[in-house]
């Protein structure tokens, strides 16, 4: 009996070391939207979310990494800030590829390796499929959606592809659209779907179902059951609870549950509609709370509550645009609901309202019931915390979980737990901010792609500023002039974390980031047909037009004239077919440059921004300017103010393009024609060119 007793004790210890883990990530749920965070019970009631706080620990300084959803979801699962990827502002599109590399260490792969059953149920918004260099590539929802969640460590997936009210109008289960009846389905495969008479689905999906009530012409055509908006939360919760109930008692589970509430469109079920004094938005909050309650009730029913760590939080702060009378959030605000409590701003913003969110953890016997934690934590830390719980070391800091720091000691109430000392947050416009202790410094520099209207609307966020978050949590007074030494310290710390490639430790040296590593190209072979250093503005046959041109830094720079939408241009004659074109370009402030080659009746152009290079056929003579055809594209990550090499190697109707260290190919009849002219076009702000050479 003694060996058996030892075995039973060992199994018991293993189970205790591997708690079930349920992460509930609400959508657009603001800091002041739950009763346990001060919401007025006369307006909204959140008994299930409040139950978690009563039975667990409520964090008063829980944060997201971004003020919009896709970047935060990436950070939560990977332990890495999303701006280190190609997604440096806004969110992924409905037709974007899987954003998490299939070999990247992440929360699902970690727990699956430790013997967990894993599921992702709810809003996904991290893409499906693998992109290629075809500029027309997009996720094909009529075919297998792979790679996807099942390729990064999840055993089961049921979800809304991107947003509540997105253009697909369908659910995805595992690798296919749920209930897909026709499409690129393997022979002999029968896809599961809802019952024909299910009241949770409908036959059509129109513009009235989308987030903004428009885009009817862009809604995806699919032969599949369509989502019914007011039943989406029910369907997702049904799938989550059904999966939980199917889990064996002798194996731990991980559920990543991501409700669509309280994202727009606001669509509470008819059973809940009209119950809140805060209007339909208050009812929508009630719908979220009801879903949380069903998850908790299922854990109770399974007898799994005491062995389960439940983490509840949100992907970003709540929508707060009180000037927009059409928003139901504005009606709730006028009724008295402070969605983000008394902090400034909300979703999209660089202010605290975009990042500070409800953050609650319940783990009976490990986390003190009814307790509060004031330490700073971030959703990016969930991965490192889970790794410590299950006894797994993180990869090397350069290789995975680059920005994740365990808060297990804060979770369990250790007397000396400090939480995060510093943290980076990032707005939808690409603006960085760094918090350290009481201070928050906003860098104030958006990405180049931001449109003029946004620059005007968000101008208060596009400047350097410093706030004392203890004395001034609402960020009302910029104190940078009084504390220049703090600004200098935080500016340097942000630079080290950003350029060093990781932040879970302080980079010990000033490592140049990948986008500042300049490729060195070997000299092109062949006789020079054009060789112009552009150390000064060239004379004829070169012609400069429609901009302000000057020579500096070893090249010529231009920017469009103030107030003009016309690009600054520099033209040179060419005369070659096959051969190699080289130049260096500097995107100092321009949002893009275009290298436009005249060839026959049309020609082509290479458009380069800091994030993409796109090769496009130009319109034929007499065609409208919109009559273009994209040939190939490549994602880039370039810095402002650096000189990068560009090389185009032509052979027949094919070209091999290289921009810095990124190479891609294109094929089109227009590429094989003799090139007769070259225009350097600059859009937005300034850009420079130098060392132009053609060899043939």
């Amino acid at each position: 009996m003694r060996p058996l007793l030892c075995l039973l004790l060992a199994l018991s210890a293993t189970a205790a070391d591997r708690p079930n883990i349920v992460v509930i990530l609400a959508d657009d749920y603001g800091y002041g939207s739950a009763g346990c965070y001060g919401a007025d019970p006369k307006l909204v009631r959140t008994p299930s979310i409040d139950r978690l706080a009563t039975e667990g620990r409520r964090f008063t300084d829980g944060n997201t990494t971004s003020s919009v959803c896709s970047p935060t979801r990436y950070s939560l699962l990977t332990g890495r800030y999303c701006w280190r990827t190609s997604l440096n502002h806004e969110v992924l599109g409905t037709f974007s590829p899987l954003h998490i590399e299939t070999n990247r260490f992440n929360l699902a792969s970690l727990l699956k390796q430790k013997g967990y059953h894993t599921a992702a149920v709810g809003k996904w918004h991290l893409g499906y499929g693998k992109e290629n260099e075809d500029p027309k590539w997009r996720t094909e929802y009529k075919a297998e959606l792979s790679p996807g969640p099942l390729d990064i460590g999840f055993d089961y997936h049921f979800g809304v592809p991107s947003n509540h009210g997105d253009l697909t109008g369908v659910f995805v289960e595992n690798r296919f659209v749920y209930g897909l009846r026709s499409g690129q389905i393997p022979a002999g495969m029968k896809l599961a779907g809802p019952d024909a008479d299910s009241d949770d689905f409908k036959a059509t999906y129109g513009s009235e179902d989308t987030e903004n009530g428009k885009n009817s012409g862009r809604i995806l055509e699919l032969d599949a059951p369509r989502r019914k908006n007011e039943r989406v939360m029910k369907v997702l919760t049904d799938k989550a609870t059904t999966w939980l109930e199917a889990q064996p008692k002798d194996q731990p589970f991980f559920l990543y549950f991501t409700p669509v509430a309280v994202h727009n469109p606001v669509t509470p079920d008819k059973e809940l509609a009209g119950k809140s004094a805060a209007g339909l938005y208050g009812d929508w909050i009630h719908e979220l709370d009801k879903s949380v309650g069903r998850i908790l009730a299922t854990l109770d029913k399974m007898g799994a509550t005491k062995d389960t760590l439940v983490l509840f939080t949100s992907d970003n702060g709540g929508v707060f645009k009180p000037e927009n009378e059409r928003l139901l959030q504005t009606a709730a605000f006028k009724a008295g609901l402070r969605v983000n409590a008394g902090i400034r701003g909300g979703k999209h913003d660089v202010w605290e309202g975009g990042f500070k969110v409800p953050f609650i953890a319940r783990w009976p016997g490990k986390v003190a019931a009814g307790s509060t934690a004031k330490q700073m934590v971030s959703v990016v830390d969930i991965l490192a915390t889970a790794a410590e719980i299950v006894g797994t070391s993180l990869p090397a800091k350069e290789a995975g979980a680059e920005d994740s720091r365990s808060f297990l000691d804060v979770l369990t109430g250790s007397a000396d737990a400090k939480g995060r000392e510093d943290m980076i947050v990032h707005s939808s416009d690409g603006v960085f901010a760094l918090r350290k202790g009481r201070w928050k410094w906003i860098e104030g520099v958006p990405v180049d792609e931001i449109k003029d209207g946004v620059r005007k609307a968000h101008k208060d966020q596009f400047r350097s500023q410093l706030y004392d978050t203890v004395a001034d949590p609402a960020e009302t007074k910029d104190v940078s002039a009084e504390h220049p030494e703090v600004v200098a310290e935080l500016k340097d710390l942000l630079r080290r974390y950003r350029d060093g490639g990781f932040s879970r430790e302080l980079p010990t040296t000033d490592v140049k980031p990948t986008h500042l590593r300049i490729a060195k190209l070997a000299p092109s072979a062949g006789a020079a047909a054009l060789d112009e250093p552009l150390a000064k503005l060239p004379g004829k046959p070169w012609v400069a037009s429609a901009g302000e041109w000057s020579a500096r830094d070893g090249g010529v720079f231009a920017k469009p004239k103030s107030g003009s939408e016309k690009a600054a241009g520099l033209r040179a004659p060419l005369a070659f077919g096959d051969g190699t074109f080289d130049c260096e370009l500097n995107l100092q402030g321009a949002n893009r440059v275009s290298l436009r080659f005249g060839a026959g009746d049309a020609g082509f152009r290479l458009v380069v921004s800091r994030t993409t290079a796109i090769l496009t056929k130009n319109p034929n003579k007499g065609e409208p300017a919109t009559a273009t055809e994209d040939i190939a594209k490549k994602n880039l990550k370039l810095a402002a103010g650096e000189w990068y090499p560009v090389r185009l190697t032509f052979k027949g109707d094919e070209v091999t393009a290289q921009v810095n260290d990124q190479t891609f190919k294109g094929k089109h009849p227009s590429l094989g024609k003799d090139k007769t002219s070259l225009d350097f076009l600059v859009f937005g702000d300034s850009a420079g060119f130098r060392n132009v050479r053609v060899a043939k």
Side-chain angles (χ1 to χ4, degrees):
M1 293 294 292
R2 186 167 295 175
L4 178 59
L5 179 60
C6 290
L7 176 61
L8 290 173
L9 288 173
L11 289 173
S12 177
T14 301
D17 292 339
R18 295 187 302 164
N20 307 311
I21 298 175
V22 175
V23 173
I24 304 175
L25 185 70
D27 200 352
D28 294 359
Y29 192 56
Y31 187 77
S33 299
C36 56
Y37 282 91
D40 186 344
K42 295 178 182 178
L43 297 172
V44 293
R45 296 166 300 282
T46 55
S48 299
I49 296 170
D50 296 347
R51 176 190 169 188
L52 284 173
T54 300
E55 298 176 359
R57 172 156 290 198
R58 182 176 65 92
F59 289 74
T60 60
D61 199 358
N63 299 270
T64 67
T65 55
S66 173
S67 56
V68 281
C69 59
S70 293
T72 291
R73 291 162 193 271
Y74 177 90
S75 297
L76 189 155
L77 290 175
T78 66
R80 184 184 188 217
Y81 290 133
C82 190
W83 46 261
R84 297 196 190 279
T85 74
S86 59
L87 184 64
N88 65 355
H89 75 295
E90 288 293 349
V91 299
L92 294 172
T94 302
F95 302 98
S96 295
L98 178 66
H99 201 64
I100 299 175
E101 307 95 318
T102 55
N103 61 350
R104 176 166 288 279
F105 180 81
N106 68 78
L107 190 54
S109 64
L110 158 69
L111 295 175
K112 184 171 183 177
Q113 187 178 30
K114 297 296 289 187
Y116 281 68
H117 282 174
T118 58
V121 178
K123 170 177 170 173
W124 179 238
H125 211 170
L126 284 170
Y128 300 101
K130 184 176 181 180
E131 187 177 26
N132 57 37
E133 293 172 359
D134 182 352
K136 299 182 183 67
W137 186 95
R138 69 179 200 170
T139 302
E140 177 52 82
Y141 283 92
K142 295 179 182 178
E144 182 176 1
L145 298 170
S146 183
L150 270 59
D151 299 283
I152 62 168
F154 287 106
D155 297 313
Y156 177 71
H157 169 57
F158 186 92
V160 171
S162 56
N163 277 323
H164 187 44
D166 67 24
L167 297 177
T168 70
V170 296
F171 293 103
V172 170
E173 186 169 43
N174 293 327
R175 299 187 188 278
F176 286 88
V177 165
Y178 184 59
L180 185 65
R181 291 178 286 258
S182 63
Q184 300 172 35
I185 305 170
M189 175 180 285
K190 182 173 176 58
L191 299 176
D195 293 338
D197 59 351
S198 173
D199 189 45
D200 297 333
F201 295 82
K202 60 182 187 176
T204 60
Y205 185 86
S207 60
E208 70 280 4
D209 298 305
T210 61
E211 180 179 353
N212 59 14
K214 301 176 182 178
N215 300 317
S216 59
R218 297 174 56 207
I219 291 173
L220 198 60
E221 293 184 7
L222 285 170
D223 183 16
R226 297 291 179 156
R227 300 191 307 253
K228 186 182 289 187
N229 280 349
E230 64 271 22
R231 305 293 278 179
V232 169
M233 283 294 291
K234 173 189 177 295
V235 171
L236 293 177
T237 312
D238 285 348
K239 291 294 182 179
T241 55
T242 299
W243 183 85
L244 285 172
E245 290 173 340
Q247 298 313 299
K249 294 185 179 297
D250 60 349
Q251 189 169 4
F253 57 79
F254 164 51
L255 172 63
Y256 172 61
F257 180 54
T258 51
V260 297
V262 287
H263 192 284
N264 286 331
V266 175
T267 58
D269 198 349
K270 59 184 179 182
E271 295 178 359
L272 297 171
K275 302 293 178 63
S276 169
L280 282 176
Y281 187 70
D283 299 329
W284 199 211
I285 291 175
H286 291 169
E287 179 101 52
L288 171 65
D289 188 77
K290 178 182 177 181
S291 178
V292 172
R294 289 185 59 194
I295 297 293
L296 301 183
T298 301
L299 294 174
D300 292 340
K301 178 182 175 183
M302 296 167 58
T305 297
K306 64 182 179 61
D307 298 320
T308 303
L309 166 61
V310 178
L311 283 167
F312 173 86
T313 187
S314 177
D315 61 353
N316 48 253
V319 172
F320 183 68
K321 298 183 183 299
E323 70 282 0
N324 189 339
E325 298 283 349
R326 294 175 299 173
L327 292 175
L328 292 171
Q329 290 89 340
T330 300
F333 175 75
K334 288 186 174 182
L337 181 64
R338 299 299 176 256
V339 174
N340 297 316
I343 51 182
R344 186 176 182 180
K347 181 179 180 179
H348 297 110
D349 295 330
V350 76
W351 315 119
E352 288 296 272
F355 311 104
K356 186 172 284 188
V357 290
F359 198 105
I360 310 170
R362 186 189 73 177
W363 188 6
K366 298 286 187 179
V367 172
S371 59
T372 301
K374 297 181 180 179
Q375 294 92 333
M376 178 167 58
V377 297
S378 170
V379 297
V380 76
D381 299 327
I382 292 174
L383 175 55
T385 305
E388 185 174 2
I389 288 172
V390 301
T392 293
S393 298
L394 296 178
K397 56 186 177 294
E398 304 88 354
E402 292 92 333
D403 303 296
S404 193
R405 309 175 189 176
S406 174
F407 59 86
L408 183 59
D409 57 350
V410 180
L411 192 64
T412 55
S414 175
D416 58 353
K418 296 181 179 179
R420 273 187 169 264
E421 295 181 355
D422 50 52
M423 175 183 68
I424 298 172
V425 291
H426 194 240
S427 79
S428 68
D429 299 324
V431 176
F432 286 90
L434 178 71
R435 282 188 55 196
K436 183 177 181 182
R438 68 190 302 131
W439 303 109
K440 176 182 176 182
W441 176 65
I442 298 171
E443 186 178 40
V445 181
V447 296
D448 296 336
E449 296 88 341
I450 294 302
K451 296 179 180 178
D452 290 342
V454 176
R455 289 184 184 275
K456 182 177 180 180
H458 293 178
K459 63 180 180 180
D460 286 348
Q461 302 181 44
F462 298 165
R463 60 182 176 84
S464 173
Q465 48 203 299
L466 179 72
Y467 295 96
D468 181 339
T469 62
V470 175
D472 180 24
E475 298 173 285
T476 62
K477 183 182 179 184
D478 177 6
V479 294
S480 54
E482 294 95 313
H483 300 280
E485 76 288 351
V486 176
V487 172
E489 176 192 357
L490 299 188
K491 182 177 182 180
D492 184 65
L493 186 58
L494 175 61
R495 178 190 61 80
R496 291 182 69 176
Y497 282 153
R498 187 164 54 193
D499 293 354
F502 56 86
S503 71
R504 77 180 200 224
E505 297 177 19
L506 183 65
T508 55
T509 58
D510 292 337
V511 179
K512 261 199 168 185
T514 301
H515 65 286
L516 292 179
R517 296 171 193 163
I518 312 301
K520 301 294 184 183
L521 305 188
S524 55
L530 175 65
D531 195 350
E532 174 54 67
L534 290 183
K536 61 181 180 179
L537 192 62
K540 292 183 178 181
W542 293 71
V543 178
S545 63
E548 301 169 2
W549 289 88
S550 62
R552 54 187 168 86
D553 194 20
V556 294
F557 283 78
K559 65 177 181 180
K561 290 182 178 179
S562 179
S564 174
E565 296 184 359
K566 190 173 183 180
L570 180 64
R571 167 168 284 207
L574 292 178
F576 81 105
D578 287 356
T580 303
F581 167 85
D582 283 290
C583 76
E584 293 177 65
L585 61 83
N586 186 321
L587 291 164
Q588 190 172 61
N591 55 39
R592 69 190 189 281
V593 299
S594 178
L595 310 182
R596 185 169 297 184
F597 292 83
D601 292 334
F604 55 91
R605 60 183 183 254
L606 177 69
V607 179
V608 181
S609 71
R610 287 170 60 187
T611 57
T612 44
I614 302 178
L615 189 67
T616 302
K617 174 193 170 294
N618 291 332
N620 292 325
K621 288 183 178 180
E623 290 184 329
T626 55
T628 60
E629 181 182 350
D630 289 341
I631 301 169
K633 71 173 181 177
K634 190 74 172 182
N635 290 330
L636 306 173
K637 196 165 187 180
L638 307 180
E642 297 287 334
W643 287 104
Y644 291 102
V646 174
R647 172 169 289 177
L648 300 173
T649 304
F650 298 93
K651 187 174 182 179
D653 61 357
E654 293 185 341
V655 65
T656 300
Q658 180 171 352
V659 181
N660 197 29
D661 59 348
Q662 298 298 307
T663 302
F664 61 108
K665 294 185 177 182
K667 184 174 183 177
H668 193 275
S670 64
L671 301 172
K673 296 180 180 180
D674 286 345
K675 285 59 126 176
T676 57
S677 64
L678 168 65
D679 288 271
F680 294 97
L681 301 176
V682 178
F683 298 85
D685 208 320
S686 63
F689 308 92
R690 69 184 186 188
N691 296 331
V692 179
R693 188 175 190 272
V694 172
K696 61 179 182 178

